[in-house]
Amino acid sequence: MTSVLFVCLGNICRSPLAEGVFRQTVEQTGHSDRVLIDSAGTGNWHRGNPPDPRSVSVAAANGIDISGLKARQVEKNDFDRFDLILAMDRDNLAFLRRMGAAEQTSRIRLFLQGPERDVPDPYYGGKDGFQNVYELVKRGCLDLLDDLKLA
Ligand code: 4NP
C-alpha cells in the first residue's frame, strides 16, 4: 500500500484536481486497492469548502467528479500517515519542509519533476489557467504512476 497526499495553498483548485486525476489514473490500471490518495492545503481559508467551480468543470470535462471533495489544511500527522507528500509549487514545498523538518526530504517533494516544476496558482486568473493546470496535472500523474511502478 502506498499513500500520496497532494498539497497546494487553498486545497480548492490544484490539489483536489490532482487528487481526482490521480485517482482516475490509478483506477484505469486496476490498482486502486494499492494506493491511498488525498489532498490538503497549506492555508486554512477554504476549510470545509468544495473545490473551485472552475476545477470541478475542467475535471468533469475529463470524466472526473471532484464536486464532493472538501478542503482541509495539512496537519502534523499527515507526515506520519502519507508515504509521499507532493507540493504543487515551490512555495508550498518550502512550507511543508519547514513543517515536517524532521522528516526525510525525499518523501516531501515537488509534484512535477520536469523542467516546468511549478503548477501555477490559477485562482486569480481565467479559465485558461485551469486548463493549463489540468494538462500539467495529467502529465504529472502519469509520471507518478511510473515512479510508483503501478503502470
Ligand atoms: P489552490 O488555489 O492553492 O490551487 O487551491 C488557491 C485557492 C485560493 C487562494 C489561493 C490559491 N486564495 O488566496 O484564497
Side-chain angles (χ1 to χ4, degrees), residues 2 32 62 65 68 80 95 141:
T2 306
S32 295
N62 291 281
D65 181 8
D80 302 324
F95 182 101
C141 284

Side-chain angles (χ1 to χ4, degrees), residues 36-58:
L36 177 76
I37 305 166
D38 196 7
S39 66
T42 55
N44 71 351
W45 316 281
H46 298 281
R47 190 167 47 203
N49 292 347
D52 186 288
R54 296 166 294 178
S55 279
V56 172
S57 161
V58 75

Side-chain angles (χ1 to χ4, degrees), residues 8-16 45-46 52 88 92 120-124:
C8 62
L9 182 59
N11 193 210
I12 55 166
C13 299
R14 292 165 291 177
S15 61
W45 316 281
H46 298 281
D52 186 288
M88 304 306 279
N92 287 299
D121 181 347
Y123 187 63
Y124 292 107

Side-chain angles (χ1 to χ4, degrees), residues 62-118:
N62 291 281
I64 303 168
D65 181 8
I66 60 167
S67 63
L69 299 181
K70 293 237 177 308
R72 71 170 181 91
Q73 192 172 25
V74 177
E75 48 192 44
K76 273 275 179 200
N77 77 0
D78 287 325
F79 293 90
D80 302 324
R81 287 180 54 218
F82 290 93
D83 299 315
L84 207 48
I85 301 183
L86 301 176
M88 304 306 279
D89 64 30
R90 283 166 282 183
D91 286 344
N92 287 299
L93 179 65
F95 182 101
L96 291 168
R97 290 242 164 103
R98 281 195 301 275
M99 190 175 170
E103 306 294 327
Q104 283 172 37
T105 53
S106 61
R107 294 178 43 228
I108 308 170
R109 64 162 174 85
L110 279 177
F111 167 56
L112 292 184
Q113 301 288 286
E116 219 170 340
R117 295 191 296 159
D118 289 342

